[in-house]
Amino acid sequence: MSLELATRDGARIAEDLGRSPLALRGLTVSYGGEAAVFSTDMTVAPGAMTAIIGPNGAGKSTLLKAALGIVPSLAGQVTFWGQPLQTARARIAYVPQRASVDWDFPTQVLDVVIMGLYRELGIFRRLRARHIARAMDCLDRVGMRDFAERQIGQLSGGQQQRVFLARALAQEADLYLLDEPFAGVDAATEAAIIAVLKDLRDAGRTVVAVHHDLSTVETYFDRVFLLNRRPVAEGTVAAAFTQDTLQAAYGGRLNEGALVGTA
Amino acid sequence: MGSEFVALSLPPLLIGTLAAMACALPGNFLLLRRQALIGDAISHVVLPGIVVAFLVTGTIATLPMLAGAACAALLAVAMIEAIRRLGRIEAGAAMGVTFTTLFAAGVLLLERSDTSSVHLDVEHALYGNLESLIWLDATGWASLTDPAALAALPPELIRIAAVFAVVAIAIAAFWRPLKLATFDEGFAQSLGLPTAAIGLGIVTLAALAAVAAFDAVGSIIVIAMFICPPAGARLMTNRLERQIAWSLLFAALSAIAGYVIAGYGPIWAGFSASVSAAGMIATISGLILAWAALAAPHRRA
C-alpha cells in the first residue's frame, strides 16, 4: 500500500494523468466571492471505488459538479483519462443528489431510465424495443423491474435513488460519479446499491461517490479522498482514512462515535 | 345561420382557440420549471414594448412589435437584477414590482400618445378585440375553399396560426432534450445539453406566443392561458405527453365555451348586451382549473 502511495504521489504523476478516469489539478471553485473548493488536486484510481468525504460545506458535491462543468470553476484543470470533458463525456455517468429534482414531475420510472440512453437516441432517433429492453434490464439490476410503469412521485426515497442508479447504468459508462447515493435511503436499498457499484468495479469500471457515513467507508470503498475546501488526504482506505486525516478534515466537529471500528 | 357564423363567429373562435393553445403549450414547461411567473411577466412587459415600437415605427406590423417586446423583456430582466442587487429585495417581489410598473408605464404611454389611427388602446391591451376580428368576405362555408375570400381572412388569424405552428413544431422537435432538461437540469448538463439555451428557448417561445396572442386577444387571456390549462392538465395525468394534450384541450374548451357564453350567455339570462369574450374565456379557464383541483384524478394528497 505504501509503495502504491509513494508512486502515486511521486514521479509517476504525469503517467497517472493519462490513466486516471478523473484527475483534478488546482481546481478552484467559488460561490459569491468565497472559495468553495480551493486549489484541489485529485487523482482517481481506475477500477476502484473512491469515497469523497468531508464535513458539511466542504465542497464535495461542488467538486463533482465543477469537474462535470455544471458549476463554473475559477481555475484549474480537469481531465478524464487525460482528455478534456468534451471528448470523454460519453464514458461518464453522473447521478445527482436525489433531492435536486422535483419528483412530482409527470413521468414514469421507465421514462427516467430511458433518459440514460439520450446519448444514443439523441433528439430524433426512434425509441425501439431493444432500448426499452435495455432500460428494463437496468431496472432489474437495481430490483425495480416491477415499478417500471409507476409515476416517480409514488416511489419511496430509496426507490427513487435506485431509479437514478438504473438511469446511470443505462449510460454504460466507464466512470460513475454519484452524489450522496445513500442519503435518506433504507437499508435494503443501501445494500442493493452497494452491490451494484461493487459489480461495476469488479467489471473494471471506476466509481466515485460523495459519501457522508464514516462508519461504512471501510466496508464499501477501496480508496478515500478527504476534502475540507482544500484536499486533506488521498489514498487507500488503510493509508488515508486514519484518525489523523479525519481530525484534519473534520477538526473539532468529528464525532468519535462515528469512527468505531476504525484503527 | 351558416353565412353569419362563418363571417362573424368562426374567425374569433379560431383566433381565440389558437391563441389559448399557443400560450398553453409553453405554459406547461414554465409551470414544471416553476417559472409560471415568467409567463405572467412576459404578458405584462409586452404592452410597453409594443407601444414604444409603435411610437418609433408608426406601424403595428408583427416584426417591430416582437422587437419592441423583446427589448422590453431585456429591460425587465435588467430592472429585476438591479432591484434585487441594489435594494436587496427577494426575486419574486422584484419581478412583481418590475412587471406591474412596466405595464403601468405602458398604459400611461398609451394614453398620452396618438394611437387613434390604429387599434391600440388601454382596453384593447387588456381585453383584445376578439369580437371585431370578423371575416367580411365570407358568404358561407363555401368561402373556406374560395381563394379570393380566404385572402381577406383577418391577418390576426394567419399570424396566430403561424405562431401556434412554430411553437408546436419547436416543442415536438426538441421534445427529448426539453423534457430531460426540465426534469433534471444537472443530469442534462452532465450529458452536455445546453440547458441555459433550452431554458431561453422556452421563454422565447412563450414570448412569441404572448406577442401574437396579445395582439388578438389581449393580456388577460395570455396570462390566464399560460397557467390555468397546464395547471389543470397536470392534475389529470401523471405523464407529460398526456398533460400537454389535456392542456390543449382545456385551452380550446375555455376559448370556445368562453366565446359562446360571452356572446349569448347574458342574452339567455335576460340581459341586453353581451360581455367581453376575453374576460369570459379567462374566467372559464379558471373554473376548469378549480374543477380539476377539486375532482381531477391526480390531485396531490
Side-chain angles (χ1 to χ4, degrees), chain A residues 70 89 94 96 101-102 104-108 111 118-119 121-125 151-152 164 167 171, chain B residues 32 34 173-174 176-177 179-180 182-184 186-187 189-193 234 238-240 243 300:
Chain A
I70 294 171
R89 252 191 229 284
Y94 169 56
V101 307
D102 173 15
D104 261 335
F105 192 87
T107 196
Q108 295 179 309
D111 282 340
Y118 182 80
R119 290 201 70 89
L121 289 167
I123 297 181
F124 297 118
R125 231 152 293 143
Q151 203 272 324
I152 55 171
F164 261 17
R167 180 177 69 180
Q171 292 180 265
Chain B
L32 289 170
R34 308 203 179 284
F174 293 102
R176 241 177 236 156
K179 182 176 174 183
L180 219 169
T182 302
F183 170 60
D184 191 343
F187 180 73
Q189 282 173 317
S190 80
L191 294 175
L193 284 178
R234 174 65 191 90
N238 273 331
R239 306 204 60 166
L240 185 55
Q243 178 188 323
R300 274 156 245 172

Side-chain angles (χ1 to χ4, degrees), chain A residues 48-87:
Chain A
M49 280 176 68
T50 302
I52 299 179
I53 55 180
N56 286 334
K60 306 183 293 287
S61 298
T62 305
L63 188 82
L64 284 191
K65 287 182 187 162
L68 289 164
I70 294 171
V71 299
S73 44
L74 276 184
Q77 186 200 1
V78 179
T79 56
F80 299 86
W81 298 280
Q83 293 174 326
L85 175 63
Q86 301 314 331
T87 321

